[in-house]
Amino acid sequence: MADYDVVIIGAGAAGLTLAHRIGQINDRRDPPLRTAVLEPPSGPHTPPPRTWCYWESGPGRWDHLLAASWADLSVIGPDGGEHRSPAGPYVYKMLRSTDLDAHVRESAGDGVEFRPLRVNDTEDGPEHATVRALAPGGDPVDLTARWVFDSRPSGPPRGGRTRLLQHFRGWFVRLPEDALDPTAAVLMDLRPPQPRHGVAFGYVLPLSSREALVEYTEFGRAALTTAEYERALTDYCEMSGLHGFEVTASEQGAIPMTDARLPTRVGRRLFRVGAAGGATRPSTGYTFSGTARQTAAIARALELRRVPVPPVPHHPRHLAMDAVMLRALDSGRVSGADFFTRLFAANRLGDVLAFLDGDSLPAREFAMGLTTPVGAMSLSTADHLWHTLRSVVPDPSRWNPVRWGNPARRARGVSR
């Protein structure tokens, strides 16, 4: 008998939300799923606190934990023109990793335990998978589990034609006096100087009348140095009229934006989830909503005692359109600032958010496409189709019926 039914590697957004859902299953399951969440011991490998932003319509699972939310959103073009339109039915939300972490640990129940282990390797097997790790003192620890869900970054993806980064640095600032409207946020400000390829923008998410997260972001091939981000943030705060502030905390990171496909199943009993399993929307870098859909599907499969293959949470149609957009940006065929300004200026913000979260219909998507640089995007589409036809190869994320059995039987009940 395996040590656990489920082992989750990593306690980020994917690991925490999956652990929370398993805890809810255990409330009505007998026997409960024996589950371990493995996270690095405190030290240099401990991830720093993060914020996750996403949008959804109506009340959400994490509303009681939100740091802030905004129904009033705007986009500012390179010329300073502000584009504001209804975002409904969506509300833009911010969740702190520390708040989600504390809540999940408190509410997960006795069937879910958190173990400080640094994972070195995983090994597949016909009856169970093995996770090889090191304890805080350096002693080796081997754990076996019926199912293993790995959320660790998986390294550069194989395949794909375009590989960009959404790289950023943000400051949490406190102003000396009231100067912000906590009900309104700037989602995208395209006034910063633009790179030759890609796009640069800032945004301001007010937490109160005196506090905000101010961030500088680029879509490009390489990240900047911390000093370069600091200069860009200083310039952007000046541009935004934020003066005399104190920086209370900061965050920095890079999110892959690629048309490469990331497999969610990598063995009989080994799976990848979250960003490692393709939950990131390639055209935006947003990951939290895709992760939520993945972990909900996994939980449903576990509760029904089916093979819990994580679904790819984005429609193939949207992934194809994302591949075209990324290629257009990377090739320099379109100006990122021009592309996004046209998109947000000519369409309801709610319609754009629906598309970016996979809730839009083809007719609406076609109409939105006509508001972007049509000539350049058409050329990029033809380029993408030609490249795809010339380089059709087996997709490594597809089922291998020889190794893993009948895909229709195994996957039943776990798709979105």
Side-chain angles (χ1 to χ4, degrees), residues 17 73 137 140 149 167 209 224 243 272 339 351 370 379 401:
T17 54
L73 303 173
F149 299 93
H167 54 95
S209 59
L224 305 181
H243 305 292
R272 293 195 176 277
F339 178 91
D351 290 337
L370 294 178
L379 182 59

Side-chain angles (χ1 to χ4, degrees), residues 352-385:
V352 178
L353 294 179
F355 166 68
L356 296 179
D357 207 34
D359 287 336
S360 53
L361 297 175
R364 184 63 235 163
E365 293 162 5
F366 180 76
M368 281 193 286
L370 294 178
T371 66
T372 64
V374 175
M377 294 302 293
S378 298
L379 182 59
S380 294
T381 300
D383 178 27
H384 173 70
L385 291 174

Side-chain angles (χ1 to χ4, degrees), residues 68-150:
S69 63
W70 307 270
D72 188 352
L73 303 173
S74 63
V75 172
I76 301 175
D79 60 356
E82 185 173 14
H83 306 286
R84 189 185 300 266
S85 65
Y90 299 101
V91 175
Y92 196 72
K93 302 178 178 183
M94 177 196 287
L95 178 63
R96 296 180 190 266
S97 63
T98 49
D99 295 330
L100 181 61
D101 184 276
H103 173 72
V104 172
R105 289 175 193 270
E106 180 181 348
S107 63
D110 295 336
V112 179
E113 61 177 300
F114 288 76
R115 298 190 59 174
L117 295 173
R118 183 181 174 190
V119 175
N120 289 329
D121 196 12
T122 58
E123 181 180 319
D124 198 19
E127 301 299 328
H128 61 258
T130 302
V131 179
R132 308 193 187 283
L134 295 177
D139 294 329
V141 177
D142 286 357
L143 301 176
T144 58
R146 189 178 180 200
W147 310 114
V148 173
F149 299 93
D150 193 346

Side-chain angles (χ1 to χ4, degrees), residues 7-20:
V7 163
I8 302 168
I9 303 175
L16 290 171
T17 54
L18 181 54
H20 184 264

Side-chain angles (χ1 to χ4, degrees), residues 268-358:
R268 295 179 183 88
R269 300 183 176 278
L270 297 175
F271 308 99
R272 293 195 176 277
V273 292
T280 301
R281 181 71 189 263
S283 62
T284 67
Y286 283 95
T287 306
F288 194 84
S289 293
T291 296
R293 292 193 286 271
Q294 271 191 340
T295 55
I298 293 167
R300 285 196 301 271
L302 289 171
E303 187 166 19
L304 296 171
R305 292 174 168 81
R306 294 174 177 171
V307 179
V309 182
V312 176
H314 307 297
H315 194 283
R317 181 177 79 254
H318 297 143
L319 293 176
M321 288 188 283
D322 287 357
V324 171
M325 192 274 278
L326 292 177
R327 185 63 184 168
L329 287 178
D330 189 41
S331 66
R333 285 196 187 99
V334 303
S335 156
D338 180 50
F339 178 91
F340 287 109
T341 300
R342 290 194 193 191
L343 182 67
F344 284 105
N347 297 281
R348 274 186 75 258
L349 192 54
D351 290 337
V352 178
L353 294 179
F355 166 68
L356 296 179
D357 207 34

